[in-house]
C-alpha cells in the first residue's frame, strides 16, 4: 500500500507536507463522529500552494495520503508532548483542534492499533524523508528541509486570538543556521501585506526539531500559514485570487533557502 508520494528534485531542498493528506480508511471513519470524517484539521491545499513552486525550483516534495487523524507524522512516535504544559493533539489523537472527541464512545484506538498505524503510516514516511535528505546531502553537501503547514486562523484550544499570517519556526534557532533564519526573517520583514512571527506559538514540530542539524549540513524550517489568506476556512474551498500572493511570498522564502 502506498501511503505517501515522493517527487525527487535536483536541488538541495526537500519540501515535506506531513498534514496534506485527508484520507481516512472506511473502517476507521465508521468509528468516528460525522464531523471528524471530514478531517477538518487537514492542512488544506498546501500541496496546491507548494507543488508549482517546487517544480520551478527543482525541489523534492514529500506528502502523505492519509489524514493526521490516522497518525500525526509531525509528532514523535513515542507520543511525548511537543509543547509541555499546553493543550495539543497527539500522535494518534482522540480530539480535534476544537477539543471535541473524534471517536464515538468506546471506539477509540487501543495501544495495539496505535502501533499498527505507526508501522503502516509513520515509519514509511519518515524512512522516505530520511533517505531523501541523505541523498540530497550526499549530492550537494547540504540540504534544507522545509516543513509546509497551515491551520485555521483562530483555534482557541491552541492559541489566543488570531494567528499571524506567516509563522516561521526554527526550534528557537536550533534547527538552522543564524544566517538562514536571518535571510528568511528579512524576506518576511521586507513586505507589509502579511503579518508574521518567528518562533512564536509554532516553533517547529517533531520533524523540524528531529531532522534539523545544521552542524551536519541539514537545516530545517517550518512555516505555518493562516488558512484564511488562501482559502475559505468554513467550506475549505481554495481561493485562487488570494492564494497567488501567498505563493509569491512562499516562493521568495524558498529561494532564500537555496541562496
Amino acid at each position: 500500500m502506498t501511503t505517501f508520494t515522493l517527487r525527487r528534485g535536483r536541488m538541495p531542498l526537500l519540501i515535506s507536507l506531513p498534514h496534506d493528506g485527508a484520507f481516512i480508511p472506511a473502517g476507521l471513519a465508521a468509528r468516528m463522529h460525522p464531523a471528524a470524517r471530514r478531517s477538518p484539521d487537514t492542512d488544506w491545499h498546501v500541496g496546491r500552494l507548494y507543488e508549482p513552486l517546487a517544480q520551478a525550483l527543482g525541489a523534492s516534495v514529500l506528502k502523505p495520503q492519509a489524514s493526521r487523524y490516522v497518525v500525526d507524522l509531525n509528532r514523535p512516535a513515542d507520543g511525548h508532548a511537543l509543547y509541555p504544559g499546553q493543550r495539543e493533539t497527539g500522535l494518534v489523537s482522540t480530539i480535534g483542534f476544537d477539543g471535541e472527541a473524534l471517536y464515538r464512545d468506546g471506539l477509540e484506538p487501543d495501544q495495539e492499533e496505535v502501533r499498527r498505524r505507526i508501522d503502516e503510516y509513520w515509519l514509511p514516511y519518515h524512512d522516505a524523508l530520511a533517505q531523501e535528505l541523505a541523498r540530497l546531502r550526499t549530492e550537494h553537501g547540504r540540504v534544507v528541509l522545509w516543513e509546509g503547514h497551515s491551520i485555521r486562523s483562530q483555534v482557541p484550544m491552541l492559541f489566543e486570538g488570531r494567528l499571524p499570517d506567516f509563522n516561521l519556526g526554527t526550534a528557537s534557532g536550533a534547527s538552522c543556521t543564524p544566517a538562514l533564519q536571518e535571510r528568511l526573517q528579512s524576506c518576511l520583514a521586507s513586505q507589509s501585506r502579511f503579518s508574521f512571527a518567528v518562533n512564536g506559538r509554532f516553533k517547529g514540530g517533531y520533524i523540524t526539531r528531529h531532522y534539523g542539524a545544521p552542524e551536519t549540513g541539514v537545516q530545517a524550517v517550518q512555516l505555518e500559514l493562516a488558512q484564511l489568506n488562501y482559502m475559505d476556512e468554513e467550506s475549505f474551498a481554495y481561493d485562487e485570487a488570494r492564494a497567488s500572493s501567498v505563493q509569491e511570498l512562499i516562493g521568495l522564502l524558498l529561494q532564500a533557502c537555496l541562496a
Side-chain angles (χ1 to χ4, degrees):
M1 179 177 62
T2 300
T3 60
F4 64 87
T5 60
L6 171 63
R7 186 178 61 77
R8 292 185 172 90
R10 66 185 186 278
M11 299 296 286
L13 177 61
L14 169 58
I15 298 171
S16 165
L17 306 173
H19 298 149
D20 180 66
F23 171 72
I24 300 175
L28 175 56
R31 295 157 49 196
M32 303 176 84
H33 290 292
R37 295 171 195 164
R38 299 178 68 211
S39 190
D41 298 324
T42 297
D43 291 11
W44 295 106
H45 308 299
V46 289
R48 188 168 179 176
L49 285 172
Y50 277 97
E51 284 174 342
L53 300 170
Q55 187 169 0
L57 292 171
S60 298
V61 178
L62 177 65
K63 59 181 186 177
Q65 305 288 346
S67 165
R68 69 189 303 158
Y69 289 172
V70 177
V71 68
D72 193 328
L73 301 169
N74 201 30
R75 296 292 187 274
D78 64 8
H80 74 258
L82 290 176
Y83 297 95
Q86 299 184 43
R87 198 176 188 197
E88 58 181 313
T89 55
L91 173 69
V92 176
S93 193
T94 57
I95 62 170
F97 287 167
D98 59 4
E100 297 296 321
L102 300 179
Y103 296 89
R104 292 184 285 129
D105 288 347
L107 298 179
E108 299 86 354
D110 58 20
Q111 288 303 306
E112 181 180 350
E113 182 179 350
V114 170
R115 174 49 57 185
R116 287 199 305 270
R117 295 194 203 178
I118 292 171
D119 290 344
E120 293 176 14
Y121 298 94
W122 195 97
L123 287 173
Y125 190 90
H126 282 266
D127 286 346
L129 195 159
Q131 290 169 18
E132 184 65 1
L133 285 176
R135 180 185 76 86
L136 293 171
R137 183 176 58 177
T138 297
E139 290 186 5
H140 300 279
R142 64 184 179 93
V143 60
V144 175
L145 169 61
W146 185 272
E147 276 286 291
H149 294 261
S150 74
I151 192 170
R152 292 192 301 275
S153 58
Q154 296 188 59
V155 184
M157 188 184 87
L158 300 181
F159 51 84
E160 294 182 2
R162 184 192 180 285
L163 189 69
D165 299 323
F166 279 63
N167 299 268
L168 198 71
T170 64
S172 297
S175 66
C176 74
T177 62
L180 177 54
Q181 180 169 316
E182 176 59 32
R183 289 201 302 275
L184 296 171
Q185 190 163 345
S186 294
C187 184
L188 291 169
S190 68
Q191 56 79 47
S192 58
R193 176 163 186 166
F194 300 106
S195 60
F196 70 92
V198 178
N199 290 312
R201 173 60 179 86
F202 294 96
K203 302 179 187 298
Y206 172 76
I207 292 176
T208 302
R209 302 181 200 186
H210 179 74
Y211 293 97
E215 67 279 4
T216 70
V218 179
Q219 302 185 75
V221 176
Q222 176 177 298
L223 178 63
E224 189 84 52
L225 296 169
Q227 291 176 341
L228 85 170
N229 290 296
Y230 69 88
M231 59 175 276
D232 182 275
E233 294 184 328
E234 297 304 318
S235 69
F236 310 147
Y238 191 74
D239 187 319
E240 188 73 52
R242 284 187 287 171
S244 61
S245 297
V246 173
Q247 273 186 312
E248 182 179 358
L249 183 51
I250 294 173
L252 295 175
L253 293 168
L254 295 178
Q255 290 176 43
C257 292
L258 292 171

